[in-house]
Amino acid sequence: MAELPVSFIQVTDITHLTPRMARVTFDADQLDDLVGQAPDQQVKLCFPRPGQRLPVLPEPGEDATSWYQAFLAIPEDERPWMRSFTIRRRQPGTNTIEIDFVLHGETGPATRWAGSAQAGDQLGMVGPSAVYSRPVSLTDSITHSDWLFLAGDETALPAICTLLEALPEGARAVAYVEVADAAERQDFETRGDVTVHWLYRDGPQAGQSDVLIRTVLKAEFLPGRPFAWLAGESGTVRALRRHLVDDRGLDKRSIDFSGYWRLKLTQDDAPTAQDMAEAQERLAEAQAAAEVGSE
């Protein structure tokens, strides 16, 4: 098994894009040439425990299985909190990357850290690695479909933007993005033929509004066969995927889906039965895709 990329990254700048979204710029010790060269590229960030200047991490150089075993062997009160994030952008020719953080109060270690982060603060970074996240192949998706359908909440917005910005000239895409209110809209550039529907909760908290589900259920789709990308709160993602398969007739292989977070649960909580079923299905689909690609 390939070596798992592990490094430390240091804050160099913080920009508030909207009232609830901050873009943090990091310099990395080292980055593989492929980092930041594809959309929807995920990494795992490791946040230090209180009193730690740096997160405690195993030495790099181990394969993924060994490294994670060593990570879990760190005493719980010293083990960093680990969360998944999308690389929003890499500055060309540098080891500088940008990662967007949703700011939603004191509800978790990542948003607490981002709310008080300063230049010079450091985090651990694991990946990018196909071990835990396989980036969407836009080339394959567009080749085997007529248009791209995307849906998610603000936690999915950084990935959605990378996907839309990477579209080739004229590629058609429709995105449904749920955010708190109109102040959370973001601008982006794309060569594609893109329509973005901004959906506002205007009161309810993330995960407690069904505006995304209700809107997609009533939406008039473009003609032709879409490739769908879904991410955000796990229950919402499951409902949308079920609708696309059962009501819209999409092949499961034409849907890339990921539950980024769970209502009333954190990534430190044990996975639910639904989480395990979703993970097993994603694994089975990834294995099937790999077998087709090797033929």
Side-chain angles (χ1 to χ4, degrees):
M1 184 177 292
E3 178 181 318
L4 188 66
V6 180
S7 61
F8 287 99
I9 55 178
Q10 179 170 297
V11 177
T12 59
D13 188 49
I14 302 170
T15 303
H16 285 264
L17 303 175
T18 70
R20 299 177 179 86
M21 185 78 78
R23 175 163 297 165
V24 183
T25 304
F26 297 94
D27 275 347
D29 294 340
Q30 57 183 5
L31 289 177
D32 187 275
D33 290 341
L34 296 178
V35 175
Q37 300 304 309
D40 189 29
Q41 198 171 60
Q42 291 187 26
V43 295
K44 291 186 179 295
L45 299 183
C46 300
F47 297 84
R49 293 278 181 169
Q52 296 177 342
R53 187 180 66 85
L54 287 174
V56 178
L57 295 176
E59 289 293 324
E62 301 283 352
D63 63 49
T65 300
S66 299
W67 190 91
Y68 276 117
Q69 288 175 344
F71 177 82
L72 294 174
I74 298 171
E76 186 174 355
D77 60 348
E78 298 179 16
R79 188 189 314 140
W81 291 288
M82 182 183 285
R83 298 291 185 267
S84 296
F85 283 84
T86 300
I87 294 178
R88 182 63 182 83
R89 186 180 294 111
R90 180 178 183 174
Q91 295 182 12
T94 73
N95 284 342
T96 299
I97 57 174
E98 298 170 352
I99 297 178
D100 292 352
F101 288 74
V102 178
L103 304 176
H104 45 84
E106 295 291 312
T107 57
T111 190
R112 285 198 301 269
W113 178 89
S116 61
Q118 299 179 3
D121 289 349
Q122 292 183 279
L123 298 178
M125 186 174 79
V126 184
S129 172
V131 171
Y132 56 77
S133 177
R134 180 176 56 87
V136 172
S137 171
L138 277 182
T139 301
D140 290 345
S141 303
I142 293 171
T143 299
H144 297 96
S145 62
D146 298 302
W147 58 285
L148 184 63
F149 171 87
L150 305 103
D153 58 28
E154 55 264 69
T155 64
L157 184 53
I160 288 174
C161 286
T162 67
L163 289 162
L164 295 179
E165 289 173 348
L167 288 174
E169 184 76 33
R172 294 188 301 169
V174 178
Y176 291 83
V177 184
E178 176 191 317
V179 293
D181 52 43
E184 296 305 306
R185 293 179 62 141
Q186 293 187 30
D187 296 325
F188 60 89
E189 297 182 359
T190 179
R191 294 172 296 168
D193 178 6
V194 174
T195 300
V196 179
H197 299 275
W198 294 95
L199 312 177
Y200 309 132
R201 291 190 295 272
D202 286 328
Q205 298 296 312
Q208 297 178 341
S209 167
D210 63 353
V211 63
L212 181 58
I213 297 173
R214 286 189 289 105
T215 303
V216 171
L217 261 59
K218 296 185 298 182
E220 183 176 346
F221 276 21
L222 296 176
R225 182 177 62 247
F227 178 87
W229 184 98
L230 312 172
E233 196 278 320
S234 291
T236 298
V237 169
R238 281 192 287 267
L240 290 173
R241 181 170 179 262
R242 187 163 55 246
H243 164 68
L244 293 178
V245 173
D246 295 345
D247 303 327
R248 304 279 186 172
L250 267 68
D251 190 310
K252 290 182 179 180
R253 293 170 296 182
S254 296
I255 304 174
D256 187 279
F257 67 101
S258 183
Y260 282 175
W261 61 284
R262 301 174 290 170
L263 187 63
K264 298 181 180 179
L265 294 172
T266 75
Q267 293 185 21
D268 297 312
D269 293 312
T272 65
Q274 287 181 315
D275 292 330
M276 294 300 294
E278 177 182 299
Q280 290 172 351
E281 189 163 2
R282 283 178 59 84
L283 178 61
E285 291 177 3
Q287 291 174 335
E291 290 173 0
V292 170
S294 63
E295 292 178 353

